[in-house]
Amino acid sequence: KDCPEEFKKVELEPLPAMTARFLKTLNQICEQCFSTSDLFLSVFFLGQVFHCPSARLQLFGSSKNGFGFRQSDLDICMVLDGQETADVRTRSWLGILFSLRNILPITTAKVPIVKFYHVRTGLEGDISLYNTLALHNTHLLACYAAIDWRVKILCYVMKVFAKMCDIGDASRGSLSSYAYTLLALFFLQQRNPPVIPVLQEIYDGEKKPELLVDGWNVYFFDDLKALPGRWPQHGKNVETVGQLWLGLLQFYTEVFDFREHVISIRQLAPLTTFNKQWTSKYIVIEDPFDLNHNLGSGLSRRMTNFIMKAFINGRKVFGTPVTSYPPEYPSPMEYF
Ligand code: CTP
Ligand code: MG
C-alpha cells in the first residue's frame, strides 16, 4: 500500500527497447518496496525466450481496490501483450519461474497461481496468469470504495472480523476476503436508504451495454462524478459506521434468508437460490461478473455453521454495551 505509483503497473518492455532508465526505475522500485527484481527480470527475460512481445504485471485485490491492510497479500496478475488467453506455452513460464525462485505453485486454483513470501518485507504475494476478470472486479470494488467513506471502513471491519474469528481463509475451507467484501457491499446496497447503488444496473438507454471479458459482461457505471445525478438516493443514508456495522450483523443473523436468497451485488431485485440451482449450500455468494461462480461452493456444513456462529456471536458481543475496553484483547489496530 506504500508502494510508489510506478510499481502499481510495471510495464516490461522487449529487450531492445529496454533503456537504462527503465532498468534503473525497475531496480529502484524493487529495492524500495519489493526486492523481487530477479522475478520481474525473469518474467521479462522469458518473454524474450518465448518471443512474446511483452509481459505486464498488474496489481489487483486489496492493494488496488482500497480495502487493504498492512498484512494483506500482494495479488499480481501477469498477462502477455498480444495473447488473449494463457496457452500451454505461457503456462510453462510458471514452471520455469518456480525454479528461479523458491515459489509455491497452486495448480488447483481456477487460474494458475504462484505464491511467494518475501522474507525481508514479510510480504506475501500471488502471481496469477490471466486473472483478467479479477482486474475488473478490483476496479468495481475500488469504485464502491470511492462512493462513500463508510464503505471502506465497513469492509475493513468485516475483513478484520473474519480474520479474527478464523473464518476468512478460503485455502483453509472458509471464505476469502473478497467474499466478505461482497457480503458487506450487498448489505450496503440493501440498506434502507441504501449507502451504495448497484453500479451494474446504471446505464443509458434500454439495454445494458455489453463489455465481454472471458465471456462475461463486465460493464458497470464508473463515472463516479456523474453518479449523484444518476442515482436519486445518493447521500440519503446518514447512519454512522457503528450503526451500519451493527445493522450488518443484524442483517445476516436476523433478516437475510440464506436458504431462499443469493448474495449478489449485481442486481437490486432478490435473486433466489432456486433460480441459480444453487440449493445445496446455505451461504451462496454470486461473483458480480462470473455468474457461474458461487464463492460459497467450497464451504462444508461444519464450516458454514462455524461462520454463522461467528456472526451470531458478533451480533451479541457488538450489540452489548461495554463501559471499558478489556485490556487482554488484541487491539484491532494491529490489523491496520
Ligand atoms: N478474487 C476473485 N475470485 C475469488 C477470490 C478472489 O476474483 N474467488 C480476486 C478479486 O479480484 C479479489 C482478489 O482476487 O479482489 C484478491 O482476493 P483476496 O486476497 O481474497 O482479497 P483481498 O481484498 O486482496 O483481501 P486481503 O487484504 O485479505 O488480501
Ligand atoms: Mg489479497
Side-chain angles (χ1 to χ4, degrees):
K1 264 82 33 228
D2 302 324
C3 280
E5 203 47 46
E6 312 96 288
F7 182 63
K8 297 192 174 162
K9 195 176 170 207
V10 179
E11 301 277 350
L12 296 164
E13 296 170 47
L15 195 58
M18 191 170 69
T19 60
R21 196 181 62 81
F22 173 69
L23 244 188
K24 201 171 141 217
T25 317
L26 185 66
N27 283 334
Q28 268 173 358
I29 292 164
C30 294
E31 269 163 31
Q32 271 171 24
C33 58
F34 198 73
S35 76
T36 49
S37 46
D38 347 354
L39 183 66
F40 279 88
L41 284 173
S42 52
V43 170
F44 163 77
F45 173 71
L46 289 164
Q48 303 305 307
V49 173
F50 290 105
H51 309 294
C52 296
S54 68
R56 274 184 295 123
L57 299 180
Q58 282 176 284
L59 281 185
F60 65 100
S62 59
S63 17
K64 270 297 249 205
N65 65 23
F67 301 117
F69 315 131
R70 205 170 294 152
Q71 289 106 318
S72 286
D73 63 354
L74 202 60
D75 302 294
I76 304 172
C77 170
M78 181 166 91
V79 291
L80 305 171
D81 278 353
Q83 273 185 243
E84 280 301 305
T85 51
D87 60 13
V88 179
R89 191 183 59 175
T90 328
R91 278 159 202 251
S92 67
W93 273 45
L94 292 176
I96 296 171
L97 281 175
F98 305 152
S99 62
L100 287 174
R101 301 281 305 188
N102 197 10
I103 304 166
L104 178 69
I106 313 279
T107 47
T108 49
K110 238 178 6 155
V111 288
I113 292 176
V114 192
K115 273 190 174 296
F116 58 89
Y117 175 70
H118 185 244
V119 182
R120 193 171 59 78
T121 54
L123 270 177
E124 278 184 26
D126 290 350
I127 295 189
S128 50
L129 249 190
Y130 281 88
N131 206 353
T132 18
L133 274 180
L135 298 177
H136 290 271
N137 65 37
T138 293
H139 183 40
L140 176 70
L141 265 46
C143 285
Y144 280 122
I147 291 174
D148 189 303
W149 62 273
R150 292 169 297 174
V151 176
K152 210 182 237 187
I153 301 182
L154 200 76
C155 290
Y156 272 139
V157 174
M158 181 78 254
K159 275 169 60 171
V160 173
F161 176 78
K163 301 229 181 220
M164 282 181 127
C165 297
D166 240 345
I167 54 169
D169 188 347
S171 65
R172 286 176 34 227
S174 53
L175 292 170
S176 62
S177 292
Y178 174 58
Y180 285 103
T181 308
L182 295 181
L183 228 71
L185 294 176
F186 178 72
F187 160 74
L188 292 171
Q189 290 174 331
Q190 300 291 324
R191 194 72 172 160
N192 189 14
V195 178
I196 51 171
V198 176
L199 290 175
Q200 283 164 277
E201 285 189 328
I202 303 178
Y203 45 83
D204 295 316
E206 294 281 291
K207 206 171 166 290
K208 183 166 156 176
E210 234 183 32
L211 215 81
L212 290 184
V213 170
D214 286 349
W216 298 107
N217 189 1
V218 298
Y219 168 84
F220 67 92
F221 187 82
D222 66 350
D223 182 5
L224 298 186
K225 282 206 179 81
L227 188 67
R230 301 297 300 269
W231 184 50
Q233 275 133 318
H234 193 272
K236 292 259 162 67
N237 184 304
V238 290
E239 287 173 281
T240 63
V241 183
Q243 284 168 329
L244 289 171
W245 173 236
L246 260 182
L248 181 148
L249 291 168
Q250 189 178 28
F251 180 74
Y252 286 116
T253 51
E254 297 171 23
V255 180
F256 187 71
D257 185 348
F258 282 90
R259 233 174 244 307
E260 275 294 304
H261 293 126
V262 176
I263 294 155
S264 165
I265 66 157
R266 77 176 156 103
Q267 64 174 53
L268 201 56
L271 181 65
T272 64
T273 48
F274 180 77
N275 271 347
K276 295 286 299 189
Q277 298 287 301
W278 282 342
T279 46
S280 65
K281 297 283 174 188
Y282 185 75
I283 300 177
V284 178
I285 307 165
E286 187 198 53
D287 186 88
F289 298 135
D290 179 352
L291 306 187
N292 283 341
H293 187 197
N294 168 16
L295 283 110
S297 64
L299 293 175
S300 65
R301 188 180 287 249
R302 209 178 127 92
M303 184 53 81
T304 304
N305 285 341
F306 191 63
I307 293 174
M308 291 317 295
K309 275 191 192 144
F311 274 86
I312 292 165
N313 210 15
R315 160 93 180 89
K316 200 169 95 197
V317 171
F318 284 97
T320 310
V322 285
T323 46
S324 65
Y325 190 72
E328 70 273 19
Y329 276 45
S331 162
M333 288 316 285
E334 281 172 23
Y335 285 83
F336 292 92

